[in-house]
Amino acid sequence: MKKKRWHIMPRDTEKENTLIRELGVNPIVARLMVNRNIDSDEGHRFLEGTLKDLLDPFTLKDMETAVALILETIEAKVKMGARVSYYIPERQSEGYGLNLEALEHIISDGASLVITVDCGISSYDIVEAVCDRIDIIITDHHTAPPQIPPARAVINHKQPDCPYTDKNLSGVGVAFKLCQALWLRQCGEWYLDDLDIVALGTVADVVPLVGENRIIVQAGLKKMNELPNLGIDKLIDVAGLHDKTITAGHIGFTLAPRLNAAGRVTHATRAVELLVTDDVDLAETIAQELQETNMERQEIERSIHEEARANVATQGHLADYVTVVAGENWHPGVIGIVASRLVEEFYKPTLVISIDDGVGKGSCRSIEGFNIYNALKSCEDILIQFGGHAAAAGFSIDASRIDELRQRLTEYCKAHVSPDEYIPVVSIDATLPVDDIDVDIVDRVSALEPYGMGNSTPIFGVMDAKVQDIMLMGQLKNHCKVILATANGSVDAIAWNRPDLFRHIFQGMNVKVAFTLQKNEWQGFVSPQLMIQDIEPIIEEPIQLSAEGLREIYTIVRLALKGGANSLYYVEQEILRRKPTNQNGSSALMALDVFKELGIISEETNDNGQAMIRWNVINGKLDLTTSVTFITYSQQEVIQ
């Protein structure tokens, strides 16, 4: 895990005091709101906004035309009057948006009106080819190009001449506004059904959770927790969340990936069937199918990720500036996720390429401050096609030119990325003394929920706290719990998928911690819990090793092995349990690293898949005659 740079956001006490005075908020909440550029005028709506604050859908350009056309089509009792159907493009072969072949199929099937959702604004040529044979209403939220498609109506708040004031709606949000307008015209009231579906789509679309999006998601989460759509309810069950209060985080990290798995691995139609069915048995069946498909997606992703990591390791210095990995027949539906994971691990602009029949299809993810689209554009002469934006992009390339692409991008990164930009940044909203962390502050901060893009989960920093204890958690011991001492006892800090912390953070050590806050409820007891984003030891003196320390660790390791230790984890536990007298925890485990680097001790797997320790010592003697990167010993030193 790469070391991170901490950036503590500067304060504006004048703005904070204005919010405290005019909104009556807690000082820490005021600071968080200032960090998110929320002033007192917007603050009332941000904290207290309701569905009554939603904007009039008829202020969207072409909304009147679209509603009139839909009602006209229904009244004419053509296909929509008798039957409403849907068409979901197959992700790998058709892409994400409109395609001519699909529209020809829809026309031949007798439809007279097509309403797009989250696509179509960039499909001028396709719409032009069929607009004389079928009516099209485009609803989309992507940036509008200079040439708008010649559809009967185009509803997109990002059109230059659209007066709609909220420019952050998601694709499903724009479609919802059309439903609102249609219902208002027909029934004279706001359409407020299906807000849980709209909330799900809004969070999954990763749009800013401010303005209307925030109101929609708040209302949708309330419905999701009280009386959810049948399909969502069954998805919640299979995801193991039935006893949880569903949050935007649960949507983004648990529910949406299960729905998306269908489109990545099989076909997204099954996800639509789940959301529209009123048959309980069918909903349970589809939810279970999606659960299994998501597990399949995770396994495919895991396999590709392992191959990709191994690929990076073989590249050596070729991967110093940019990560470019490629594999035959890697599933194109998951390479974007793999690219994101590689960025988390190596923090470099990353391209993951799936090669099929000599052509590579790539997915890119960037690091903060680096425009990956511009990087691809600098190589467009060797690409078949490319597209995207600053943070993520896609492309295709002849497989024979992948090495050339890596070389070109390396030179581009050398010229456009500074050394500091290769160090990930943790933005700290505010620092807190560890003694001030309690349930009350968690409750006050929760006023800013739901969190998401544009309103990120607040990150706090404790600049100095003492570690009371540390332990590994989970069946695979792949999570870490750090217990921090406070004036009144202790507070738990959890780090998911960070077993490495166990080798760097020790009991009695002082640390600084970056974290988010949540409540932990256990057997009726509620306590604050820190979710670790970063943790660093506060080391006053450099770590030093000595021959005496190595001898002591050597003896402890031999005793541990005689006692039946079968993995390095248990050896490390024994070292820390015995509290060596000649060194602290850091230098004790560094001594074990010396043995591993010299090839004296190693961990292997036997034929039954069980971990085992190999102890590579000749004639019971260990001769320290090797110079390693951090220590050198005399040739006469022998540990026996």
Side-chain angles (χ1 to χ4, degrees), residues 7 26 77 137 190 245 312 494 504:
H7 170 68
N26 176 275
K77 297 191 181 298
I137 296 173
W190 288 108
T245 298
V312 173
I494 307 298
H504 304 289

Side-chain angles (χ1 to χ4, degrees), residues 129-180:
V130 299
C131 64
D132 60 338
R133 292 181 287 147
I134 190 168
D135 290 329
I136 297 177
I137 296 173
I138 291 174
T139 75
D140 202 346
H141 77 121
H142 294 98
T143 301
Q147 196 172 30
I148 303 298
R152 288 287 301 275
V154 176
I155 304 173
N156 184 329
H157 48 300
K158 293 179 182 175
Q159 294 180 82
D161 53 350
C162 180
Y164 202 74
T165 56
D166 194 322
K167 303 297 183 181
N168 291 314
L169 286 175
S170 64
V172 68
V174 177
F176 174 66
K177 300 305 290 189
L178 176 57
C179 293
Q180 269 196 317

Side-chain angles (χ1 to χ4, degrees), residues 84 90 94 163 191 241 450 495 526 549 588:
V84 177
E90 200 283 318
E94 295 181 275
Y191 178 75
L241 298 177
V526 182

Side-chain angles (χ1 to χ4, degrees), residues 100 103 123-133 136 147 149-151:
L100 189 57
L103 283 173
S123 303
Y124 183 94
D125 291 343
I126 293 174
V127 174
E128 184 182 45
V130 299
C131 64
D132 60 338
R133 292 181 287 147
I136 297 177
Q147 196 172 30

Side-chain angles (χ1 to χ4, degrees), residues 32 36 203 209 214 248-249 442 445-453 455-458 517:
L32 297 173
R36 285 151 182 76
V203 173
L209 292 192
R214 177 177 172 83
V442 180
V445 169
S446 68
L448 274 68
E449 295 179 355
Y451 302 126
M453 182 181 173
N455 178 34
S456 59
T457 304
L517 277 170

Side-chain angles (χ1 to χ4, degrees), residues 27 59 71 76 103 112 134 140 166 220 307-308 351 368 370 374 393 424 478 521-522 539 544 594 611:
T59 59
L71 293 177
L103 283 173
S112 61
I134 190 168
D140 202 346
D166 194 322
E307 286 187 55
L351 293 75
E368 187 173 343
F370 181 74
N374 287 346
N478 57 337
E521 300 182 22
W522 176 251
I539 300 176
Q544 295 182 342
V594 170

Side-chain angles (χ1 to χ4, degrees), residues 338-399:
V338 173
S340 295
R341 292 185 62 186
L342 293 175
V343 169
E344 290 177 5
E345 186 170 2
F346 300 110
Y347 204 70
K348 296 181 178 70
T350 298
L351 293 75
V352 179
I353 306 168
S354 171
I355 301 173
D356 183 22
D357 197 24
V359 175
K361 179 180 180 181
S363 187
C364 316
R365 296 294 183 271
S366 192
I367 59 177
E368 187 173 343
F370 181 74
N371 190 313
I372 195 72
Y373 177 85
N374 287 346
L376 286 180
K377 188 169 180 59
S378 73
C379 304
E380 62 181 325
D381 57 300
I382 63 171
L383 301 177
I384 297 172
Q385 61 181 17
F386 73 100
H389 49 81
F395 66 95
S396 57
I397 185 173
D398 190 292

Side-chain angles (χ1 to χ4, degrees), residues 58 62-76 80 113 115 135 137 152-153 155 178 181-183 185-186:
F58 283 103
D62 279 2
M63 185 62 82
E64 287 279 4
T65 302
V67 169
L69 178 57
I70 293 171
L71 293 177
E72 182 183 305
T73 304
I74 293 174
E75 289 165 6
M80 193 163 185
L113 173 63
I115 304 173
D135 290 329
I137 296 173
R152 288 287 301 275
I155 304 173
L178 176 57
L182 190 62
W183 197 258
R185 182 58 46 85
Q186 280 292 85

